[in-house]
Amino acid sequence: MEYRTLGCIFGTIILDLMCSFGPLFPIPEYTLAKQLLIPAGVYIAIAIVCVFLIFPQTLNHIMLDAVTTKMLGTTIKLFKLQNQVVMTPPKDTEKWHELAVQSYALRAGHTAAVTALEGQTALLQLEITRGQVGPGDLQKLFGKVKNLGLRAYGLASFSMIIDEQQQSVKNTLDDISSHSNVRSKAHLDQMEKNIDEAHSLTGLLPILAESTAELRKSSAKALDDITEWLLLVNHTRWKKKPSTAPDITQREANILAVKDALKEFREGKHFSMLDSYKDNFDPNTGELKPDSAERYRYASRDLFRCFVFTSSLIGFTIDLIELLECLIQIERENPTSRIQLPSAFTKSVVKSANEKEGGNPLAMGTDDHSSVNVNRSVEEDEQDGHDEARSETSTAVEGKEKPKKEKKVKTHAKDPDAEDPRNAFQRFGRSVHHIWQGLTGASGLFALKYGLVSVALWIPAVCHSSAYFTYTNRGLWALIMAQTGLGVFTGEQILQFVLRMSGTVFGLILGMLAWYIGSGKGSGNPYGVAAATMVLAAPCLFIRIAIPMEKSPFFLMTNVTLMFTVGYSWVDEHVYQTANQGSGAGLAGRRALLVMIGFTAAFIVMLFPHPVTARALFRRKLAKNMSDIGDLYGKVVTGIESELDHDNAETDGNNKGKIAEARRERYKGGFLKVLGRIMAMQPQLAYAGVEPGLRGPWPKKKYEALFKTQSQILSTLALLSSAYSRMDVKWCKRLATRSELMHPAFIADCLSMFSILQQALRTGEPLPPMIPIFEKLAIHRNAMKGMARHQRGRSINTNGDMIEKTGSYLDNNVTTGDRESVADGMEMVTRDAVNVLQGNMTWSSIHDEQLALFATANIALVHIAVGLNEMFRIVKNLVGEKELQGLERASERWARGELGLSDTRV
């Protein structure tokens, strides 16, 4: 991205020079560009020589270092953070929130590193390098480290879920909205009465910490050792390794230690937390005691949350073992450094040349969107939401399911004003319509403003009355500043103005300081000026290279202004020319005036015509995220439903691994696309925050909360997908056929709420009167309970694996306390889990790793609803809601009736 940006700026400057100074010559002068091309050519030549002669580095070296430090290093920090998580007291809500924030930041850092490096992997086959890790090995290593980081996201979800739950309870208790929350508050009170310390997080977390200690310790040691080995390999390509370097036997021992710890955990320690629940089961038959169902429902609430951690830890360790085995294989094949030749040079060249959605090959890891095509979605959102009916994620996910040789059929988004084009004329008209939408969008309007300000400041350079004045006072600089200082959004314009103007002032001060130190009162000493300039410019230049591109405008303007001040001061003192602006302070003042003229022109054009606000675009992108997250939710839950078409035959380990990989890959494209867009929205949040609020202050905190909630829902949805990928078919069937959370009516309600919130946020229209999602679930559950009573005694055969008397079960196990509908999300998880597991709940059957995966999936389903409910609350505060008091009164009346509470208004 940086090289493309600098290339565009350089090309624009050459065009400005040719068009501004060219017309002033009495004869055609086509060599004006050499004033810039010659210095640029010399710079490139010096840079190439320095690259080869001064500490040369290959892409393989840069990539391996980035994979080790930015990707694997972030994953290790996230993994080691779990040591604090399992040792934190459950009642320390501030500490849990802090851990959740740290986990979120580390996860975002890993995602940024992956998206920045993924587009560079194809270029590894285009160079010759020396080392133990060849181009193909590094590509394989990149994939393994990437998957390990994704597994670490699941571990981070544990602290995020607990923090989210604590915040949800707080919001429920503090909610003063018109919506009835009688059920939720009643259940909070009920849980407080029925939960005891031994079966809460207070009693379970120490057991969790102790049982996972050995597995966490061996995994952390293995991670530290491979990091040390990768850094050593990367920095000893041309020299011998030190004698103290650990040999391959240490890493082989690490693999054995991790495998042994994992085996011991999966066979025994994984179920240590179940010991405190043994009293709920009959010691002779192992069946769940009839009078313990209600107590078990509340007691297993926090157990299921702990299973999220253990199931994620197992998945993380399995991927870690794969990474360790991959590195051992690489080390055995290449015991010493050697020349590594590209094994697929021609194929990689063709692939890189034909890649349409990849990143810039020259970005060298600076492109944040190299592998995730978020630009297309940006354009869609900029066009006032046109063509949003077709979701991005559906394209990404469905594309992987199509056969490779299937002919692509062009589809069109549904248009209420026009059907699909039927002839060439209509297809041409549809194309013209899309082009016009692009021209009238934010990018098209920016191009128009760019052209207007360029022509406005170019005209004085070619008019007879003003050409000499413009030339002698270097008006070209004002034109360049106006072009480079123009922003797409109002907030971006303001922010860039502050940064660039302050950088210009600072650069002028340093430039004058360098000139007067080097030249004194004379016309300049070349050695003194060069020495002073180098000393003052070096720190700013180093910072400019070291920091990310988006944070560099201040130091970029500082360096450019410093060099211009010193350079033109020297030229004006030693070269005779018509346009002599002096040196030192006089030149600095004129340069500052030109910068102000350019930025002022950019400001005027930014306001007229039609200033583009980043706030509206940010809001529409949040709406787009809701649509795509809803699509992903629908695809994952229907994927679980589709398991009903498969038999329950047991599969071996290899087939299970292939099934899990196929399930993960089915949704990975959609997850990465939405995640990439969420990352790209961060700068726009900053732009929106600095825009002036002429109509009133912008509710930044609410938008930040909505932005964070969407990230949490996406993370929880990934947790659901991860658990589903490892679940056996019979457990998927059990979840799909018995869980209230998988009821088609409830799924449809969730999808409808995603759609309604998306439409309301995109258009700004108030929400229709709605019932919160948990209240809807309670209504569905009461309907199911009534139907079950009606069908009492009927046997339900679920795929032949278990038979139960549904009506009898509900009558015997649903007590008066259970008539209350929905607690916070976690109580609903355990109540629903008891329902799903009925008929299979024995002391021996719960010692099954699939139970932990089931618990993880169940909790993820509920927390998706929790996040959806939180989005509903935030959007309602942003856009409002149409009041319908009778609906709220009826909702509360029915809720009180279901809970057996008196209604004073009746």
Side-chain angles (χ1 to χ4, degrees):
M1 183 193 302
E2 179 179 352
Y3 290 93
R4 284 180 287 185
T5 303
L6 294 178
C8 291
I9 293 175
F10 188 71
T12 302
I13 293 175
I14 291 179
L15 185 63
D16 293 338
L17 179 65
M18 296 289 292
C19 294
S20 299
F21 286 177
L24 301 180
F25 287 83
I27 58 174
E29 179 62 49
Y30 302 111
T31 59
L32 279 175
K34 70 180 182 181
Q35 298 183 37
L36 294 175
L37 292 176
I38 292 176
V42 173
Y43 161 76
I44 293 175
I46 295 174
I48 292 175
V49 172
C50 292
V51 165
F52 281 99
L53 299 181
I54 303 177
F55 304 116
Q57 290 183 333
T58 60
L59 178 62
N60 187 291
H61 173 85
I62 297 173
M63 278 281 296
L64 184 56
D65 185 73
V67 168
T68 305
T69 57
K70 295 182 179 180
M71 290 177 58
L72 187 58
T74 306
T75 301
I76 293 174
K77 291 179 181 178
L78 191 57
F79 179 74
K80 291 184 176 180
L81 186 65
Q82 308 313 308
N83 295 331
Q84 299 182 42
V85 169
V86 296
M87 300 300 294
T88 301
K91 296 183 179 180
D92 192 352
T93 57
E94 293 184 0
K95 182 63 176 179
W96 280 105
H97 182 68
E98 179 186 343
L99 292 172
V101 171
Q102 292 182 34
S103 299
Y104 181 83
L106 290 172
R107 190 186 68 177
H110 181 270
T111 305
V114 170
T115 54
L117 295 174
E118 197 159 15
Q120 314 305 319
T121 55
L123 292 179
L124 291 170
Q125 294 288 354
L126 306 182
E127 67 175 5
I128 300 174
T129 184
R130 176 181 168 83
Q132 289 182 248
V133 182
D137 296 332
L138 185 51
Q139 287 179 322
K140 188 187 300 183
L141 177 62
F142 175 84
K144 297 291 185 183
V145 175
K146 174 184 173 182
N147 290 335
L148 187 67
L150 294 177
R151 288 296 190 184
Y153 294 177
L155 283 172
S157 297
F158 176 67
S159 59
M160 292 180 179
I161 282 175
I162 294 179
D163 176 63
E164 180 185 358
Q165 192 65 34
Q166 292 171 342
Q167 298 299 322
S168 177
V169 171
K170 182 177 182 298
N171 292 335
T172 300
L173 295 176
D174 296 342
D175 190 10
I176 57 174
S177 65
S178 58
H179 289 288
S180 172
N181 53 13
V182 175
R183 295 179 176 92
S184 298
K185 291 183 177 179
H187 273 283
L188 291 175
D189 295 337
Q190 188 75 9
M191 282 188 299
E192 291 295 330
K193 295 177 182 178
N194 286 275
I195 194 70
D196 60 281
E197 186 171 299
H199 298 109
S200 66
L201 283 178
T202 303
L204 293 176
L205 273 181
I207 303 175
L208 178 65
E210 182 181 357
S211 61
T212 60
E214 185 62 30
L215 185 56
R216 287 185 285 112
K217 181 180 178 181
S218 59
S219 299
K221 183 179 184 304
L223 286 168
D224 289 336
D225 287 348
I226 62 174
T227 301
E228 180 184 354
W229 181 78
L230 287 172
L231 291 174
L232 184 66
V233 165
N234 200 29
H235 292 86
T236 57
R237 294 171 179 261
W238 296 91
K239 62 182 179 180
K240 186 178 180 180
K241 293 181 182 177
S243 58
T244 57
D247 56 13
I248 192 173
T249 57
Q250 176 177 328
R251 288 173 287 282
E252 291 175 340
N254 286 337
I255 294 181
L256 294 176
V258 174
K259 286 183 176 180
D260 291 342
L262 178 60
K263 181 180 179 181
E264 182 183 2
F265 179 76
R266 298 177 80 171
E267 294 179 352
K269 292 183 178 181
H270 190 188
F271 311 108
S272 298
M273 292 178 293
L274 295 175
D275 292 341
S276 58
Y277 297 86
K278 195 171 184 178
D279 295 339
N280 295 326
F281 295 86
D282 190 290
N284 297 322
T285 63
E287 297 286 342
L288 181 66
K289 296 178 182 178
D291 59 346
S292 300
E294 180 72 8
R295 185 170 65 255
Y296 181 80
R297 175 162 66 88
Y298 290 105
S300 59
R301 169 176 173 262
D302 288 331
L303 172 66
F304 274 47
R305 283 198 280 190
C306 292
F307 276 151
V308 172
F309 186 89
T310 57
S311 61
S312 299
L313 180 61
I314 291 173
F316 178 87
T317 310
I318 292 173
D319 277 22
L320 174 60
I321 292 173
E322 292 181 4
L323 173 62
L324 294 173
E325 291 176 342
C326 175
L327 290 174
I328 288 294
Q329 181 182 358
I330 292 173
E331 188 173 5
R332 286 172 179 168
E333 293 176 353
N334 303 290
T336 58
S337 296
R338 63 182 181 86
I339 298 297
Q340 300 279 357
L341 299 176
S343 58
F345 181 84
T346 304
K347 182 179 178 180
S348 297
V349 170
V350 174
K351 182 179 178 181
S352 299
N354 293 330
E355 189 175 3
K356 295 180 179 180
E357 296 185 358
N360 175 22
L362 301 178
M364 296 297 290
T366 61
D367 191 351
D368 290 338
H369 316 129
S370 56
S371 64
V372 181
N373 182 16
V374 296
N375 295 324
R376 176 179 156 202
S377 63
V378 171
E379 293 300 323
E380 288 177 355
D381 290 336
E382 287 176 354
Q383 296 165 11
D384 295 332
H386 295 302
D387 296 335
E388 287 187 358
R390 180 170 176 83
S391 173
E392 263 184 29
T393 52
S394 61
T395 303
V397 175
E398 291 169 3
K400 290 185 176 293
E401 297 175 351
K402 293 181 180 179
K404 295 181 179 179
K405 295 183 179 179
E406 183 179 347
K407 185 178 180 180
K408 293 183 179 180
V409 179
K410 184 175 180 59
T411 59
H412 300 274
K414 289 295 183 181
D415 188 342
D417 299 323
E419 294 184 351
D420 290 348
R422 299 177 181 177
N423 51 51
F425 177 77
Q426 291 176 348
R427 285 192 292 270
F428 174 76
R430 181 68 68 102
S431 300
V432 172
H433 174 68
H434 288 313
I435 293 173
W436 177 252
Q437 286 180 335
L439 293 176
T440 56
S443 297
L445 193 59
F446 172 75
L448 175 62
K449 293 179 179 181
Y450 196 95
L452 287 176
V453 74
S454 299
V455 173
L457 293 180
W458 169 77
I459 290 176
V462 295
C463 291
H464 287 288
S465 58
S466 58
Y468 179 77
F469 176 82
T470 303
Y471 175 74
T472 55
N473 289 280
R474 296 290 188 268
L476 176 65
W477 188 244
L479 173 61
I480 295 173
M481 286 295 98
Q483 292 173 336
T484 58
L486 190 64
V488 179
F489 309 110
T490 304
E492 180 184 5
Q493 181 78 47
I494 296 173
L495 187 61
Q496 292 295 321
F497 172 79
V498 174
L499 291 175
R500 292 175 181 272
M501 197 64 211
S502 57
T504 299
V505 173
F506 190 58
L508 290 173
I509 295 173
L510 293 181
M512 289 188 292
L513 189 61
W515 174 254
Y516 288 123
I517 290 176
S519 62
K521 296 182 179 180
S523 59
N525 182 294
Y527 303 104
V529 171
T533 303
M534 182 189 69
V535 171
L536 294 176
C540 297
L541 186 61
F542 173 79
I543 296 174
R544 158 65 191 87
I545 295 173
I547 63 175
M549 185 65 180
E550 63 271 12
K551 300 179 181 179
S552 65
F554 175 85
F555 296 99
L556 179 64
M557 289 301 300
T558 298
N559 293 322
V560 170
T561 307
L562 189 157
M563 299 307 299
F564 266 124
T565 303
V566 175
Y568 274 104
S569 294
W570 178 268
V571 170
D572 289 345
E573 287 290 341
H574 293 82
V575 178
Y576 175 77
Q577 52 186 336
T578 306
N580 191 317
Q581 293 186 312
S583 61
L587 177 67
R590 290 184 176 89
R591 289 288 164 183
L593 180 60
L594 289 172
V595 171
M596 294 179 64
I597 293 173
F599 282 152
T600 302
F603 250 106
I604 295 173
V605 176
M606 179 266 294
L607 294 173
F608 305 99
H610 184 60
V612 179
T613 172
R615 296 177 177 180
L617 179 62
F618 187 78
R619 174 171 52 82
R620 289 197 296 269
K621 282 189 175 181
L622 288 175
K624 182 67 174 174
N625 290 344
M626 289 182 185
S627 175
D628 285 346
I629 292 173
D631 283 352
L632 282 172
Y633 165 73
K635 289 184 179 297
V636 175
V637 294
T638 52
I640 298 174
E641 175 69 23
S642 66
E643 297 298 326
L644 293 173
D645 298 331
H646 301 88
D647 56 38
N648 294 339
E650 293 293 333
T651 55
D652 56 27
N654 293 332
N655 288 334
K656 284 185 178 180
K658 292 179 181 179
I659 292 173
E661 183 66 22
R663 288 175 178 175
R664 282 199 301 265
E665 291 296 326
R666 192 183 306 168
Y667 311 111
K668 184 184 291 185
F671 281 115
L672 291 179
K673 195 170 289 291
V674 180
L675 190 59
R677 189 193 307 126
I678 288 177
M679 288 181 54
M681 290 171 62
Q682 195 68 43
Q684 291 164 8
L685 178 61
Y687 296 152
V690 298
E691 288 183 0
L694 301 179
R695 294 177 298 172
W698 188 59
K700 183 177 180 180
K701 291 185 178 180
K702 294 179 181 178
Y703 278 103
E704 286 179 337
L706 184 57
F707 183 68
K708 182 180 178 181
T709 301
Q710 289 186 349
S711 300
Q712 290 174 341
I713 295 177
L714 189 64
S715 175
T716 308
L717 195 54
L719 185 66
L720 171 64
S721 178
S722 176
Y724 160 55
S725 68
R726 294 168 52 205
M727 287 176 66
D728 290 343
V729 174
K730 65 180 181 181
W731 282 86
C732 290
K733 290 181 178 181
R734 192 170 292 143
L735 181 64
T737 56
R738 299 187 175 191
S739 174
E740 297 167 3
L741 304 170
M742 292 292 294
H743 193 285
F746 178 69
I747 294 174
D749 281 337
C750 290
L751 293 174
S752 298
M753 182 167 284
F754 273 116
S755 179
I756 292 172
L757 294 179
Q758 180 259 337
Q759 285 292 111
L761 190 63
R762 186 174 68 84
T763 61
E765 294 291 329
L767 288 168
M770 298 178 66
I771 298 177
I773 194 66
F774 286 134
E775 299 292 319
K776 289 185 178 182
L777 181 61
I779 294 172
H780 290 313
R781 179 171 181 267
N782 288 330
M784 292 172 62
K785 186 168 61 176
M787 183 169 53
R789 288 198 181 100
H790 179 68
Q791 296 177 345
R792 178 181 293 115
R794 295 180 58 185
S795 298
I796 298 178
N797 189 335
T798 306
N799 298 298
D801 62 335
M802 59 182 119
I803 299 175
E804 64 171 308
K805 298 287 187 178
T806 304
S808 177
Y809 160 69
L810 287 171
D811 280 345
N812 292 334
N813 293 285
V814 177
T815 62
T816 302
D818 195 34
R819 289 201 303 265
E820 305 144 11
S821 305
V822 178
D824 65 349
M826 297 315 304
E827 192 278 335
M828 184 177 63
V829 170
T830 51
R831 172 182 50 72
D832 186 62
V834 171
N835 184 21
V836 174
L837 296 174
Q838 179 67 19
N840 196 52
M841 182 85 67
T842 64
W843 180 246
S844 60
S845 64
I846 64 174
H847 288 70
D848 187 347
E849 189 176 305
Q850 289 291 313
L851 177 65
L853 294 174
F854 159 78
T856 302
N858 217 274
I859 286 177
L861 283 169
V862 171
H863 274 269
I864 291 171
V866 170
L868 184 57
N869 195 60
E870 183 68 12
M871 284 203 305
F872 165 68
R873 187 183 66 82
I874 298 173
V875 173
K876 180 170 68 72
N877 290 332
L878 287 172
V879 303
E881 184 181 22
K882 296 178 182 178
E883 294 185 3
L884 195 60
Q885 295 296 333
L887 178 65
E888 296 303 327
R889 185 168 56 250
S891 176
E892 183 172 352
R893 176 168 51 83
W894 279 86
R896 288 181 173 273
E898 293 166 5
L899 294 171
L901 302 176
S902 60
D903 194 339
T904 57
R905 294 170 300 178
V906 177

